[in-house]
Amino acid sequence: EFGMERGAVATGKMVAALRRLGFDKVFDTDFSADLTIMEEGYELLNRMKNGGSLPMITSCSPGWINFVEKNYPDLLDNVSSCKSPQQMFGAIAKTYYADKMGIPREKMFVVSVMPCIAKKYECQRPEMNSSGYQDVDVVLTTREFAKMIRMAGLSFDRLPEEEFDHPLGLGSGAGAIFGTSGGVMEAALRTAVEKLSGEELKSLDFTEVRGTDGIKEASYTVNGMEVKVCVVSGLANANTIMEKVKNGTADYHFIEIMGCPGGCVNGGGQP
């Protein structure tokens, strides 16, 4: 959008731009991606150990959620109960953070900047109001954010590198890989495998689930238990896998599905 070379890291300049556009606090969705990962990892373990609908399927892509609700409503028990990082963030900001900071919940206005157009629909779902108010008030796509920067007359390339506010600006490497196909799976596996084995991971990398293939499969043996996983991106591929789940031939414990080919990084709201 601003002529920087492809792949250039613009995070610090984005933070600086948001402050100059008038935001009081600038946080990072990596924080709530970490919360999602922890919840999803434990939910998978609970289903595997204590019984529950398997395979468990991720719930963080609103385009995919819309698709499964309309096309496979009888399989909704397989979908994780976790909110997406965007929605977890809104809920945390308007409850925990607002209360800690002494800000009335109704005074909190939460704006997300997302690579995804479906996030606009997601934030308006009637159940997304844990605080008693809409958890995320407005969603801007990455392109819309760039348009606002131009409208405000900011020279993006000349902005300083600034840091996110704390504590909701902190995130781990697991949160950082969340937006690419295989990232949610890899992050959740780090939690689940460590809890299953009771040992610290020697390697954090589960490289089999990476890459841009539309359907990726892998199997891991943990504590004598085999964990079979599948990573899907693009709704045509999701349809293929869901037909297998429907007819009982999907031999997996955990499936990650993202609506966009290659994951959120290639979302419809990206430049």
Side-chain angles (χ1 to χ4, degrees):
E1 282 285 345
F2 295 103
M4 295 166 76
E5 65 181 83
R6 190 183 294 273
V9 178
T11 315
K13 292 185 188 303
M14 284 171 63
V15 174
L18 286 160
R19 289 209 177 99
R20 282 151 185 79
L21 289 172
F23 288 94
D24 297 304
K25 297 288 179 184
V26 185
F27 294 131
D28 190 352
T29 328
D30 282 3
F31 178 89
S32 48
D34 280 335
L35 300 183
T36 308
I37 288 153
M38 298 299 288
E39 292 298 327
E40 214 154 47
Y42 281 109
E43 187 176 13
L44 175 64
L45 286 176
N46 187 44
R47 290 191 190 199
M48 289 176 70
K49 286 180 173 177
N50 304 319
S53 297
L54 289 173
M56 188 178 92
I57 310 172
T58 57
S59 55
C60 42
S61 166
W64 147 246
I65 292 299
N66 201 14
F67 177 86
V68 72
E69 285 175 337
K70 287 184 167 65
N71 295 283
Y72 297 96
D74 49 334
L75 294 175
L76 285 173
D77 283 349
N78 290 79
V79 178
S80 165
S81 65
C82 293
K83 288 181 179 179
S84 69
Q86 168 178 280
Q87 295 307 134
M88 279 200 194
F89 196 97
I92 290 286
K94 287 201 179 181
T95 56
Y96 173 82
Y97 181 77
D99 296 349
K100 283 279 185 196
M101 299 301 286
I103 302 166
R105 293 179 177 186
E106 68 272 14
K107 297 283 188 192
M108 289 285 286
F109 195 83
V110 177
V111 179
S112 291
V113 178
M114 289 284 140
C116 173
I117 298 169
K119 289 281 171 193
K120 291 174 178 285
Y121 139 83
E122 182 186 41
C123 80
Q124 294 174 19
R125 289 179 64 119
E127 71 272 21
M128 299 299 186
N129 60 353
S130 306
S131 58
Y133 302 92
Q134 188 172 314
D135 291 329
V136 176
D137 294 284
V138 168
V139 177
L140 296 171
T141 63
T142 318
R143 284 204 306 274
E144 286 171 333
F145 175 37
K147 197 172 179 181
M148 283 178 70
I149 291 169
R150 286 202 191 88
M151 285 168 70
L154 298 176
S155 299
F156 190 78
D157 58 333
R158 293 169 65 183
L159 289 172
E161 300 285 328
E162 293 184 5
E163 296 286 323
F164 287 108
D165 289 299
H166 286 184
L168 308 188
L170 301 169
S172 75
I177 60 175
F178 207 93
T180 186
S181 177
V184 179
M185 172 67 69
E186 184 166 353
L189 283 172
R190 293 177 186 181
T191 297
V193 169
E194 198 161 285
K195 290 299 166 195
L196 269 176
S197 64
E199 296 172 9
E200 198 170 315
L201 290 175
K202 291 180 180 66
S203 169
L204 289 175
D205 299 323
F206 294 87
T207 52
E208 297 83 359
V209 295
R210 294 180 185 176
T212 54
D213 292 344
I215 298 175
K216 296 166 281 190
E217 298 172 322
S219 179
Y220 302 96
T221 303
V222 189
N223 245 10
M225 183 191 289
E226 189 176 21
V227 181
K228 293 182 177 178
V229 302
C230 180
V231 172
V232 183
S233 73
L235 291 180
N237 293 317
N239 200 53
T240 301
I241 290 297
M242 290 308 289
E243 284 299 316
K244 286 187 173 184
V245 174
K246 189 176 181 178
N247 63 32
T249 59
D251 186 22
Y252 311 113
H253 296 99
F254 191 26
I255 302 174
E256 174 203 297
I257 297 182
M258 292 188 180
C260 292
C264 315
V265 287
N266 294 325
Q270 290 284 66

